[in-house]
Amino acid sequence: MAGLKRRVPLHSLRYFISMVGLFSKPGLLPWYARNPPGWSQLFLGTVCKGDFTRVIATKCQKGQKSQKKPSHLGPLDGSWQERLADVVTPLWRLSYEEQLKPVINGYRNKSTFSVNRGPDGNPKTVGFYLGTWRDGNVVCVQSNHLKNIPEKHSQVAQYYEVFLRQSPLEPCLVFHEGGYWRELTVRTNSQGHTMAIITFHPQKLSQEELHVQKEIVKEFFIRGPGAACGLTSLYFQESTMTRCSHQQSPYQLLFGEPYIFEELLSLKIRISPDAFFQINTAGAEMLYRTVGELTGVNSDTILLDICCGTGVIGLSLAQHTSRVLGIELVEQAVEDARWTAAFNGITNSEFHTGQAEKILPGLLKSKEDGQSIVAVVNPARAGLHYKVIQAIRNFRAIHTLVFVSCKLHGESTRNVIELCCPPDPAKKLLGEPFVLQQAVPVDLFPHTPHCELVLLFTR
């Protein structure tokens, strides 16, 4: 585990600030920040007073040359491996001292590999995509050279490719054109345990024929060449859609342990195959510590954890607050959160499964007892549903909101504007606006231009 001091790309943050400022009252957004005593700088970006955009340009400027998009997709400007590295980890050519040191490699605890035609035309190539479907120039390039992918993930992907090239069944490249074998997901933890998930399009195979394929792939990874991967569990999911939840198409355990476990913030955490967990474990610990310090919760506070995943943020703060209320769409993640709470002896938490926009209004209404509520939101890239924003905005007991964004523009910008704009009856935004008090970038993605941004709002 090493420390990172990371700065947000200047163009992204300036756009974010300008958009929020456009729709805010004068003086509503005092762009200042203070550095709380005792904060570790591990994984933290610069937090400064005044216009903090001035000090976060360094990384963007240094990485600009490597981020230019080429006009073609042939390997004329370098090998296919270099081209893929330029897309997935565009800062790989820089030492991390140049990126803002030090280097951290192989930090991902989850990787999803696609199956498609490689540079040599072989349709049973396992890796990551270059190109676009719109332009019809998609190429799948092996990824074992990428700095952010652990060797274990690359090893499993390579053996899956070996398996596919032995299989008489074709891969499913385009759904309506047939084929069966699809993507591979690999999850690992800090103890070295490895879970693999194979997605398979059943087409018109009978249950008996499906059983045969499951036994063949199982045998390959238990006693065949794939045994070298040392998998602790192998899952198989039959999927006729791009993405299927466990409810839509159950994950079938072919062998091994049903879960993977991680140690984080003094908690033992259970993680199901499709549960969300931050892909950089060491970075996640600093991210969650940062969130916890910004919330300012105490024994009189209810902590509302929206889009809570496996519940780590709320459960890590449970001892400091009166109650934790979590909301999460993925049912398996909620079951993981409940298991984690029980295993760690946490009794003041409850977790609800479903869409936040449907659960939150009723949940808040049931808590109208004058108790102070601090909300934490950690949405996907699509941001929060507008009804969630309405519920947060219109519930007066929420005086502090910590917003964790993995995408600085797009829907997150709209969310922030609606949180901070003057009351607007037409949009049903009736409560007092929030004021953005602090922004802390946390680097979870070395060698890439991405980071998490933690925003503190109060009112």
Side-chain angles (χ1 to χ4, degrees), residues 190-211:
S190 55
Q191 290 78 47
H193 300 156
T194 305
M195 173 189 289
I197 306 161
I198 292 173
T199 308
F200 184 91
H201 196 306
Q203 300 297 350
K204 296 181 180 180
L205 294 182
S206 66
Q207 287 302 309
E208 291 77 12
E209 290 170 321
L210 282 168
H211 177 73

Side-chain angles (χ1 to χ4, degrees), residues 304-307 327 354-361 364 375-379 383-395 398 401 403 414-415 418-419 427-429 434 459:
L304 182 60
D305 192 355
I306 303 170
C307 308
I327 302 174
Q355 295 176 318
E357 60 269 23
K358 294 181 179 179
I359 294 175
L360 186 57
L364 289 176
V376 175
V377 296
N378 186 12
L384 291 173
H385 193 280
Y386 75 95
K387 288 186 178 179
V388 176
I389 296 294
Q390 287 176 356
I392 293 172
R393 178 73 186 262
N394 297 339
F395 194 71
I398 299 177
L401 171 66
F403 193 118
R414 177 184 61 79
N415 289 163
E418 291 174 346
L419 287 167
K427 292 184 177 180
K428 299 181 181 179
L429 300 173
F434 284 89
R459 62 177 176 177

Side-chain angles (χ1 to χ4, degrees), residues 37-216:
W39 268 26
S40 167
Q41 291 304 304
L42 204 64
F43 290 95
L44 295 185
T46 301
V47 184
C48 60
K49 295 180 180 179
D51 180 11
F52 57 87
T53 61
R54 289 182 293 112
V55 298
I56 56 177
T58 306
K59 182 161 187 174
C60 178
Q61 291 168 348
K62 289 179 179 176
Q64 279 175 350
K65 290 184 180 179
S66 65
Q67 295 180 54
K68 288 184 179 178
K69 294 183 179 179
S71 58
H72 62 277
L73 279 170
L76 302 180
D77 295 332
S79 68
W80 286 106
Q81 287 74 24
E82 289 175 324
R83 293 295 313 286
L84 181 62
D86 284 341
V87 172
V88 179
T89 55
L91 306 181
W92 72 277
R93 297 177 190 274
L94 303 176
S95 72
Y96 208 65
E97 273 134 335
E98 294 177 275
Q99 293 183 38
L100 289 177
K101 64 185 182 181
V103 173
I104 289 187
N105 295 329
Y107 56 83
R108 294 188 66 94
N109 55 43
K110 179 182 178 182
S111 302
T112 298
F113 300 92
S114 298
V115 178
N116 215 295
R117 290 183 179 85
D120 62 356
N122 193 317
K124 293 182 176 181
T125 300
V126 178
F128 292 152
Y129 286 154
L130 283 173
T132 65
W133 295 107
R134 181 187 62 192
D135 296 332
N137 58 0
V138 169
V139 178
C140 191
V141 181
Q142 294 173 337
S143 56
N144 54 302
H145 62 292
L146 295 176
K147 288 187 174 183
N148 61 343
I149 305 296
E151 290 182 9
K152 176 60 70 175
H153 293 202
S154 297
Q155 180 192 35
V156 179
Q158 287 174 325
Y159 275 98
Y160 183 50
E161 183 176 282
V162 170
F163 171 78
L164 294 186
R165 294 185 178 190
Q166 302 182 159
S167 173
L169 297 186
E170 292 301 315
C172 178
L173 308 184
V174 182
F175 283 9
H176 67 271
E177 293 181 0
Y180 303 91
W181 300 108
R182 293 184 51 207
E183 67 187 24
L184 166 76
T185 297
V186 182
R187 303 190 83 147
T188 49
N189 65 6
S190 55
Q191 290 78 47
H193 300 156
T194 305
M195 173 189 289
I197 306 161
I198 292 173
T199 308
F200 184 91
H201 196 306
Q203 300 297 350
K204 296 181 180 180
L205 294 182
S206 66
Q207 287 302 309
E208 291 77 12
E209 290 170 321
L210 282 168
H211 177 73
V212 168
Q213 295 306 315
K214 286 184 275 189
E215 287 299 310
I216 291 173

Side-chain angles (χ1 to χ4, degrees), residues 12 14 18 63 87 104 155 209 248 259 266 292 297 385 398 408 410-411 428 452:
S12 298
R14 274 186 175 157
S18 63
V87 172
I104 289 187
Q155 180 192 35
E209 290 170 321
Q248 293 168 318
Y259 310 103
S266 301
V297 295
H385 193 280
I398 299 177
L408 300 181
E411 289 305 301
K428 299 181 181 179
E452 298 276 340

Side-chain angles (χ1 to χ4, degrees), residues 156 160 163 184-186 194-199 213-222 231-237 251-258 273:
V156 179
Y160 183 50
F163 171 78
L184 166 76
T185 297
V186 182
T194 305
M195 173 189 289
I197 306 161
I198 292 173
T199 308
Q213 295 306 315
K214 286 184 275 189
E215 287 299 310
I216 291 173
V217 72
K218 173 181 170 182
E219 186 70 15
F220 178 86
F221 280 104
I222 291 180
L231 298 183
T232 48
S233 59
L234 176 64
Y235 273 94
F236 186 92
Q237 187 187 39
Y251 288 84
Q252 304 168 47
L253 182 64
L254 299 188
F255 73 80
E257 299 296 322

